[in-house]
Amino acid sequence: MADLVMYEEEYEQIKEILARLQSDSNSKIVFLVDKNGQQIAAHGDMQGVDATSLASLTAGNVAATDGLAKLIGEKEFSILFHEGERDNIHISLVAQRVILVVIFDERSSLGLVRLRVKKASQELEKTFEVIVTKAAAEQSREGRFESPFAEITDEDIDSLFSE
Amino acid sequence: MTFINYAAREINCKIVFYGPGLCGKTTNLQWIYDKTNPQAKGKLISLATETDRTLFFDFLPLDLGTVKGFKTRFHLYTVPGQVFYDASRKLILKGVDGVVYVADSQEARMDSNIESLQNLEKNLKEQGYDLNNIPYVLQFNKRDLPTALPVEEMYRQLNYKGEPTFEAVAMNGTGVFDTLKAVAKLVLTELKKK
Ligand SMILES: Nc1nc2c(ncn2[C@@H]2O[C@H](COP(=O)(O)OP(=O)(O)OP(=O)(O)O)[C@@H](O)[C@H]2O)c(=O)[nH]1
Ligand SMILES: [Mg+2]
């Protein structure tokens, strides 16, 4: 799979979509993770939430469930839902490569979350199409895509471990 | 799969510690966790059995600072080494940017080392990677044990492509950061080529 490269414009779009989803669905947190567990963007009350762990465990969860789906001959389970005493978590796949997580409590409902997630997913899918197209265009362009790491030196790398 | 976020000026890389059961993968991560200052690390997540064997993965996010104005974040994972967890190992290899192979130096574990290395090669291939091209370092762990094979013998049996190789005693940290540094360097150097 190609590396995921995110530029300002699409990033802003994604953040907007997440913000709208959070308010439309009356949920606490909306969170977007790539399938490898790297957080892309989030919206809502993230205080007291370990975002990195949340991202990694969500991806692990989806990966394991994907494995289960294949075992029984399904392509994928597109939605996961975990119900807690207070909070619930709704996990769905977008554009086959990113994971949309919604955490909500009794101020919302599964039905409402489902409805809003569906709409937001469609918008996100469009944005990700653009991202993929852009990345492909950059790759094939004559001068090729100018990586900020093209000039990385041994010293740069060593300095990362200096402490 | 490296994730470069130009908007947030962040780069995320995934490094997987591979190797047979009980070779010391989790111990490597624990040492890194213990010796890294709090601002630079997140939680160490271990999905383990009641007897402390890795069941799905260990996960440790590390912020290494900035390179060329980009925040550089490494996500370290270990796989479960026990043979029957193969399905989980495959999942964890998805999107990998670099691999550390941890070998157990004890003579009695050599067959398991070889088997696990073959398993790595095969599982990478299934995910569309080639061990020949992927950033890769080799660690000979448990050098402290009296039953440890000579390094030359280990190298003869386990060297894959002349990769950087380190002797380690993960329990007391010997060689742990050298190994991590080497793989991080290979991963970042790989980015340069893209
Ligand atoms: N003597 C010695 N023991 C070690 C060393 N490194 C790890 N161990 C011990 O080996 C045992 C297994 O270590 P783990 O780190 O849990 O092994 P693992 O590779 O994660 O094993 P799985 O999760 O089953 O794949 C533990 O009891 C460690 O304390 C070492 O360098 N020397
Ligand atoms: Mg382990």
Side-chain angles (χ1 to χ4, degrees):
Chain A
M1 198 192 289
D3 289 347
L4 185 58
V5 177
M6 179 83 70
Y7 294 97
E8 198 73 41
E9 199 184 340
E10 287 75 29
Y11 190 52
E12 289 306 320
Q13 272 177 19
I14 288 171
K15 287 202 292 194
E16 255 178 59
I17 298 169
L18 295 191
R20 211 170 330 117
L21 172 58
Q22 194 250 329
S23 82
D24 286 355
S25 66
N26 241 346
S27 55
K28 293 168 80 173
I29 296 173
V30 174
F31 201 87
L32 199 65
V33 188
D34 86 351
K35 269 194 161 182
N36 302 317
Q38 290 165 353
Q39 182 190 338
I40 298 171
H43 193 89
D45 182 14
M46 297 296 289
Q47 260 192 0
V49 176
D50 180 344
T52 315
S53 299
L54 183 63
S56 157
L57 287 176
T58 302
N61 195 344
V62 168
T65 312
D66 261 6
L68 283 176
K70 302 238 158 60
L71 268 185
I72 63 164
E74 279 290 329
K75 200 166 116 262
E76 64 184 22
F77 297 121
S78 53
I79 290 174
L80 288 174
F81 177 61
H82 301 295
E83 191 171 2
E85 241 166 55
R86 259 187 3 233
D87 291 334
N88 314 296
I89 185 163
H90 183 280
I91 301 176
S92 53
L93 274 178
V94 178
Q96 256 130 50
R97 73 180 298 168
V98 290
I99 303 164
L100 179 59
V101 182
V102 180
I103 299 175
F104 64 96
D105 60 16
E106 80 285 346
R107 284 170 293 179
S108 182
S109 69
L110 181 55
L112 179 62
V113 168
R114 278 209 159 143
L115 184 72
R116 299 303 185 197
V117 160
K118 204 165 177 186
K119 179 156 164 282
S121 298
Q122 287 164 354
E123 295 170 8
L124 286 169
E125 256 173 52
K126 281 199 195 108
T127 308
F128 276 93
E129 262 170 40
V130 174
I131 290 175
V132 171
T133 318
K134 258 195 184 178
E138 291 282 3
Q139 286 276 318
S140 61
R141 202 195 290 168
E142 192 82 60
R144 289 214 33 210
F145 139 75
E146 191 51 42
S147 163
F149 303 97
E151 278 155 34
I152 196 170
T153 61
D154 280 3
E155 288 78 66
D156 288 335
I157 294 168
D158 283 335
S159 75
L160 286 179
F161 289 90
S162 55
E163 302 140 64
Chain B
M1 186 191 69
T2 325
F3 172 32
I4 306 178
N5 188 337
Y6 281 90
R9 300 194 77 73
E10 258 183 29
I11 174 146
N12 289 291
C13 309
K14 175 172 180 176
I15 292 175
V16 174
F17 286 67
Y18 214 92
L22 297 177
C23 67
K25 301 174 291 293
T26 299
T27 311
N28 264 271
L29 244 67
Q30 271 161 351
W31 182 266
I32 295 166
Y33 178 77
D34 288 343
K35 296 296 158 185
T36 308
N37 65 37
Q39 312 91 276
K41 67 186 174 195
K43 269 206 195 94
L44 172 62
I45 292 184
S46 289
L47 304 180
T49 67
E50 277 169 10
T51 55
D52 277 338
R53 304 295 301 269
T54 302
L55 179 63
F56 194 3
F57 56 76
D58 301 298
F59 167 68
L60 175 62
L62 274 189
D63 276 324
L64 284 185
T66 49
V67 179
K68 303 275 176 236
F70 275 73
K71 219 170 154 195
T72 309
R73 184 172 291 154
F74 282 87
H75 287 182
L76 311 183
Y77 284 84
T78 73
V79 299
Q82 294 181 83
V83 175
F84 56 88
Y85 289 133
D86 201 37
S88 307
R89 274 193 295 279
K90 287 180 194 177
L91 295 177
I92 291 151
L93 280 178
K94 285 197 176 144
V96 66
D97 293 302
V99 176
V100 173
Y101 184 85
V102 180
D104 191 326
S105 295
Q106 298 174 87
E107 186 168 8
R109 299 296 291 159
M110 188 43 99
D111 285 347
S112 310
N113 287 331
I114 292 171
E115 188 186 344
S116 165
L117 182 57
Q118 282 168 349
N119 176 258
L120 168 64
E121 193 185 12
K122 172 176 139 286
N123 283 345
L124 280 174
K125 200 168 276 167
E126 272 181 32
Q127 308 287 339
Y129 301 100
D130 181 350
L131 187 50
N132 282 303
N133 315 330
I134 204 160
Y136 178 65
V137 306
L138 174 61
Q139 181 188 78
F140 299 149
N141 189 32
K142 305 200 183 180
R143 295 310 301 163
D144 58 312
L145 292 176
T147 49
L149 281 170
V151 171
E152 301 72 41
E153 176 63 15
M154 301 227 14
Y155 191 79
R156 196 180 62 73
Q157 299 214 45
L158 297 174
N159 165 58
Y160 193 80
K161 53 173 181 182
E163 63 274 7
T165 305
F166 299 90
E167 292 181 47
V169 183
M171 243 173 19
N172 68 23
T174 308
V176 170
F177 273 95
D178 292 337
T179 308
L180 175 63
K181 198 167 159 172
V183 74
K185 203 163 177 165
L186 290 177
V187 167
L188 292 174
T189 312
E190 191 63 26
L191 283 179
K192 191 169 152 169
K193 297 185 198 154
K194 285 188 177 152

